[in-house]
Amino acid sequence: DGTSITLRINGTGSGSVRNDDGRTIVTLNAGGSRSDLLITTNARAGQTSTINGLEINSVIKRVIADRIVVNGNVNVTGGVGFFSIGGLTSGTLLWSGTNEGFFLFSSPVVALGTVRDAIVSADVPFNSFDVRSWVDTNGGGDLLSVPSIITFSSGGDFQPSVTLTSQNDRGQFSVEKVSVRGRVSGSWRLASGVRRLEFGSATPDYTGTIGGTVEFFSVTGNFEGLIAATQINRIFVGGNIRNGRILAGAQLGNDVLLGGTGSDADSYRASVITEITVRGSVINSLIAAGIRSTDNQFLNSDDTFATGTSRIG
């Protein structure tokens, strides 16, 4: 692209750069628990350089490439404490804890810059996960799949589906805090609860199914999707709720999805929503605590209330 990059390892380590049929691939072959891999560019301020692949095959403390966009795949098989790139497009980040040094950095800090048409899949929990924005332009099934995250944020729109499969080590939550300033869409399936879930707005394509408690759910703008959880304590919507569904008291089975049979079947329990604030209008929507449905078609003849006392404060 007319720019050049400089690679440097602070501390012990070695790596390579190869041309793979016109594609630039950077590989870290050996590192160290106190070493840093730095990739810089001579591009003008505010611009980036592009490489086509990044492979981290050894333990290393930090990977810093804030102005480098990877247009392709990133593979991390060594333990990394801090990982930051300028962007990920049309590719996959696969993060594995198979390296013998993995235990040194078993809960990394990950920042991916601007993400487009990508999949991020990790078998290790993240301490934090941050992007400037993440958009899906081709309907290609963008996905973030991680065991758990302490905090994650997006400065703009966030369009992938999200799957968090376990609790983090700080309590009964799959994620402590989510902060998305833009629009949120996609299917979010969280095995456990969320302490704070904060969106700019939620589109009709958003569904959040959560196998635990949501302590605070906040949408600055409009909410037009669905959220179902075992418990939802406080709700704030700064705009309108339009064609939305908010379901507290839903126990969503092993698949943490609405519907299903056998071990995936849903059940419903009494629930309390302690507070709801809606600054705009509620239009063609359902807000329910402890409602039970056998067919997941709410407000028809099969619906009853779960045993116990449910209420909306």
Side-chain angles (χ1 to χ4, degrees):
D1 59 9
T3 64
S4 63
I5 63 173
T6 301
L7 298 104
R8 183 170 79 248
I9 295 175
N10 289 347
T12 61
S14 64
S16 64
V17 182
R18 71 180 188 272
N19 185 311
D20 183 2
D21 195 23
R23 302 171 70 251
T24 302
I25 311 296
V26 175
T27 301
L28 176 76
N29 295 314
S33 61
R34 298 182 180 181
S35 298
D36 297 333
L37 169 62
L38 309 176
I39 310 176
T40 57
T41 175
N42 70 345
R44 294 180 180 178
Q47 297 181 338
T48 59
S49 289
T50 300
I51 62 176
N52 305 106
L54 178 59
E55 300 170 355
I56 307 298
N57 296 328
S58 175
V59 63
I60 193 163
K61 184 177 181 180
R62 297 189 301 174
V63 176
I64 302 175
D66 294 336
R67 295 176 61 201
I68 304 298
V69 173
V70 181
N71 183 19
N73 296 329
V74 178
N75 291 304
V76 179
T77 57
V80 180
F82 178 89
F83 182 90
S84 177
I85 59 177
L88 176 65
T89 62
S90 302
T92 299
L93 167 59
L94 295 178
W95 194 298
S96 172
T98 58
N99 186 277
E100 63 181 6
F102 152 71
F103 67 92
L104 292 171
F105 306 114
S106 57
S107 185
V109 171
V110 179
L112 298 186
T114 302
V115 183
R116 174 174 56 84
D117 302 330
I119 292 173
V120 175
S121 179
D123 64 8
V124 302
F126 289 168
N127 184 285
S128 67
F129 178 81
D130 301 295
V131 298
R132 283 192 289 272
S133 64
W134 184 335
V135 296
D136 180 357
T137 65
N138 57 12
D142 286 27
L143 173 67
L144 169 64
S145 178
V146 186
S148 65
I149 305 173
I150 302 297
T151 63
F152 91 69
S153 67
S154 173
D157 291 351
F158 194 83
Q159 297 178 345
S161 293
V162 176
T163 299
L164 302 182
T165 57
S166 65
Q167 298 175 358
N168 63 44
D169 59 5
R170 294 190 180 181
Q172 303 300 309
F173 301 99
S174 287
V175 57
E176 294 276 333
K177 181 180 179 180
V178 178
S179 177
V180 178
R181 293 187 178 181
R183 296 171 299 172
V184 180
S185 55
S187 174
W188 289 39
R189 181 163 56 98
L190 313 185
S192 297
V194 182
R195 192 179 296 279
R196 296 183 69 89
L197 191 60
E198 301 175 356
F199 297 159
S201 63
T203 73
D205 296 327
Y206 172 76
T207 61
T209 50
I210 299 165
T213 295
V214 179
E215 292 193 351
F216 181 54
F217 177 52
S218 171
V219 181
T220 304
N222 296 331
F223 178 75
E224 300 180 84
L226 175 146
I227 183 168
T230 305
Q231 179 78 19
I232 306 174
N233 291 342
R234 296 172 56 220
I235 300 165
F236 173 87
V237 178
N240 302 323
I241 302 177
R242 183 186 298 273
N243 299 316
R245 288 189 292 170
I246 298 173
L247 307 173
Q251 297 177 299
L252 300 168
N254 288 348
D255 62 353
V256 201
L257 294 170
L258 281 173
T261 60
S263 62
D264 294 335
D266 301 341
S267 60
Y268 296 87
R269 72 176 197 181
S271 181
V272 175
I273 301 175
T274 58
E275 179 183 294
I276 298 174
T277 301
V278 182
R279 293 280 174 83
S281 300
V282 180
I283 305 163
N284 200 35
S285 299
L286 170 64
I287 302 171
I291 196 170
R292 177 196 289 126
S293 173
T294 59
D295 59 5
N296 290 313
Q297 301 297 316
F298 294 95
L299 301 184
N300 61 9
S301 60
D302 75 301
D303 293 357
T304 59
F305 280 107
T307 301
T309 302
S310 294
R311 67 179 185 270
I312 297 176

